[in-house]
Amino acid sequence: MLRLILLSLLLTAVVTGQKGRRERECSVIKAGYQFSFDLYNELASNNTGANIFFSPYSISTATSMLMLGTDGKTEIELRSFLRHGICNHESMRIHLANKYISKLIAEPVADMSLTVANRLFPDTKFNLYANYTQKSAEFYGSAVESIDFKGQHELSRKTINDWIAERTNDKIQNMLPAGSITPMTEIVLANAIYFKGTWKTKFNPRSTTDGLFHIDENTATFIPMMRTKAKFTYATNALFSIIEMPYIGDAASMVIVLPRDRFGLSSIEKMLDGNYLRALTQYGGKTEVSVTLPKFTMTFSANLEDTYQSMGVESIFSTGADFGRMTDSEDFFISNIRHKAFIEVNEEGTEAAAATTLTGARTLSRSPNFICDHPFIFYIVHKKTNVILFLGRYVTPTK
């Protein structure tokens, strides 16, 4: 009897644990959808009339790695930025959910490449807590590669750029431009993601012909248009139609939201709810659809400091940031956040890559105040000979 009771308790604990993990994962996914479209709208408003393309996963993963090393107000801001306010879990449970999600993403699928890599690049003299590096490795698989920002900042920049290029199949080049790494740089947190998938239903290249693409009410141009016909998950309402086109293996798909009004994109952008779209594709029925899709290649890059700030993140950009779980380095702050992305869509499938870097730096030690608001003496010296060339005093303001 006792054994039966113990077995029953054990099974209950296992089921409860699995349920808790699913709930955490679900909450993080919901947050991810909300974050993705909130970030989309922010980038869209800053790039009026222009293409945008980015990896929400790359940005959120790099930011989560940073959040792992924060505490207090700084951690709260990053949680809010990533939209984790919709889940009431403590931060460590969010990192556990991220770990589980990344494990699923890493599972191999035939005819599809999907790799995500994270790395910490601290300066050789930067005091990075062992507990932080251990947890970063545990939750995000991020190795640590110490480099000499102080003595060889240009070589350090090349090392990071080469790492990103290698992990994105050379699609993301020169991620950190010249001058972006200085002797004041303390650490770079980097994420790289690469994807290549083959359409489950390919487009026949012989069906690709030039078609008219309407840019706005006054502008249209001919571009290569691919065509196919098959059963896809499809739904429509008064504002837009949505279609999901899977890649071989069904581990990934492209979802396209098409406004019903030819020039109605801007009117629906801010109304879009990522979790509503997710529901449409999860529960929508399969319908035979004739698809016409542009064949295109696109690149996009952005510095995201202003974007983070407009979405509520302030403290990481000042020396008042709380990185108490990462380092005891004083005057440490995030000086730059960069994102770069690439996509090519053709008859065979899709190739895409992106990278995100968060650069941490330090300021010079706070100096004593030196305010020349009363009479003073001054001189000019020739340094090599130590001869005073000019000498004087300043007692009263002159014109």
Side-chain angles (χ1 to χ4, degrees):
M1 185 67 177
L2 179 61
R3 292 175 62 187
L4 288 174
I5 293 173
L6 288 174
L7 180 60
S8 175
L9 288 173
L10 179 60
L11 288 173
T12 301
V14 170
V15 171
T16 302
Q18 291 175 341
K19 181 181 178 182
R21 185 176 67 182
R22 286 195 297 269
E23 287 176 349
R24 289 197 302 272
E25 178 193 350
C26 181
S27 294
V28 169
I29 289 172
K30 286 180 179 178
Y33 266 76
Q34 184 175 337
F35 167 73
S36 298
F37 281 89
D38 286 351
L39 182 57
Y40 168 88
N41 277 313
E42 192 65 36
L43 292 173
S45 66
N46 293 330
N47 295 273
T48 305
N51 292 332
I52 60 172
F53 179 70
F54 65 102
S55 170
Y57 187 69
S58 175
I59 295 169
S60 65
T61 299
T63 305
S64 295
M65 287 169 57
L66 182 69
M67 187 177 79
L68 186 63
T70 63
D71 205 352
K73 178 185 176 182
T74 304
E75 182 182 22
I76 292 170
E77 286 183 355
L78 291 175
R79 276 184 63 126
S80 176
F81 170 74
L82 293 169
R83 301 314 189 235
H84 287 312
I86 67 174
C87 53
N88 296 318
H89 304 311
E90 61 184 25
S91 294
M92 205 50 63
R93 296 179 71 187
I94 293 171
H95 296 302
L96 281 168
N98 286 339
K99 174 185 177 181
Y100 181 66
I101 291 168
S102 65
K103 182 180 178 182
L104 296 179
I105 288 175
E107 291 179 352
V109 176
D111 295 308
M112 187 183 85
S113 296
L114 178 56
T115 57
V116 180
N118 299 304
R119 184 153 295 193
L120 303 173
F121 294 94
D123 181 72
T124 52
K125 295 181 180 178
F126 183 63
N127 184 23
L128 201 59
Y129 288 150
N131 186 58
Y132 172 75
T133 60
Q134 289 166 4
K135 289 188 181 300
S136 187
E138 176 187 352
F139 297 132
Y140 299 100
S142 54
V144 177
E145 184 175 346
S146 297
I147 46 185
D148 184 8
F149 291 124
K150 307 294 182 289
Q152 298 180 311
H153 45 277
E154 275 303 295
L155 179 60
S156 300
R157 183 178 71 88
K158 183 178 183 302
T159 298
I160 298 171
N161 283 345
D162 288 349
W163 181 86
I164 289 171
E166 182 180 348
R167 280 149 186 81
T168 58
N169 199 30
D170 290 327
K171 298 304 177 185
I172 305 298
Q173 299 276 348
N174 198 36
M175 179 69 186
L176 297 172
S180 59
I181 298 295
T182 73
M184 304 305 291
T185 302
E186 296 279 23
I187 187 172
V188 173
L189 294 83
N191 167 275
I193 182 169
Y194 174 77
F195 170 81
K196 188 172 185 179
T198 302
W199 297 120
K200 194 170 185 179
T201 301
K202 295 181 182 179
F203 293 82
N204 187 339
R206 288 177 295 181
S207 299
T208 299
T209 58
D210 284 351
L212 203 58
F213 187 85
H214 300 270
I215 298 171
D216 55 39
E217 291 91 336
N218 304 312
T219 312
T221 186
F222 283 96
I223 61 171
M225 290 285 198
M226 306 183 298
R227 295 171 175 82
T228 192
K229 187 176 184 179
K231 283 191 174 184
F232 298 107
T233 299
Y234 172 83
T236 188
N237 59 29
L239 295 175
F240 60 84
S241 299
I242 183 171
I243 192 170
E244 182 176 17
M245 303 173 62
Y247 298 98
I248 290 177
D250 289 314
S253 60
M254 177 180 285
V255 176
I256 302 171
V257 179
L258 183 69
R260 296 286 295 273
D261 180 352
R262 178 173 282 169
F263 309 113
L265 179 62
S266 61
S267 64
I268 70 169
E269 281 179 324
K270 292 185 179 180
M271 299 173 61
L272 289 180
D273 181 302
N275 285 296
Y276 171 63
L277 297 180
R278 182 165 67 104
L280 285 179
T281 55
Q282 280 185 328
Y283 304 113
K286 286 191 177 294
T287 305
E288 188 172 81
V289 184
S290 296
V291 178
T292 301
L293 181 67
K295 179 178 179 179
F296 66 90
T297 300
M298 186 191 305
T299 58
F300 181 82
S301 62
N303 283 9
L304 299 178
E305 299 92 342
D306 289 344
T307 302
Y308 274 58
Q309 290 181 64
S310 64
M311 292 176 69
V313 180
E314 295 283 349
S315 63
I316 65 171
F317 301 108
S318 70
T319 55
D322 189 343
F323 291 103
R325 292 176 177 168
M326 178 189 291
T327 181
D328 62 358
S329 178
E330 296 182 0
D331 298 329
F332 176 71
F333 67 105
I334 298 301
S335 61
N336 183 264
I337 302 173
R338 284 185 170 84
H339 186 71
K340 207 168 186 178
F342 161 91
I343 186 170
E344 180 180 359
V345 177
N346 58 32
E347 292 89 352
E348 288 290 315
T350 304
E351 186 175 23
T356 306
T357 57
L358 294 94
T359 303
R362 63 177 175 85
T363 61
L364 292 172
S365 299
R366 290 183 176 85
S367 302
N369 291 326
F370 190 81
I371 304 172
C372 297
D373 59 358
H374 46 274
F376 58 91
I377 297 171
F378 66 97
Y379 62 92
I380 299 172
V381 63
H382 182 263
K383 293 293 290 183
K384 197 167 187 178
T385 62
N386 208 32
V387 170
I388 295 176
L389 299 176
F390 303 93
L391 172 63
R393 70 176 185 182
Y394 188 85
V395 175
T396 185
T398 59
K399 291 182 180 181

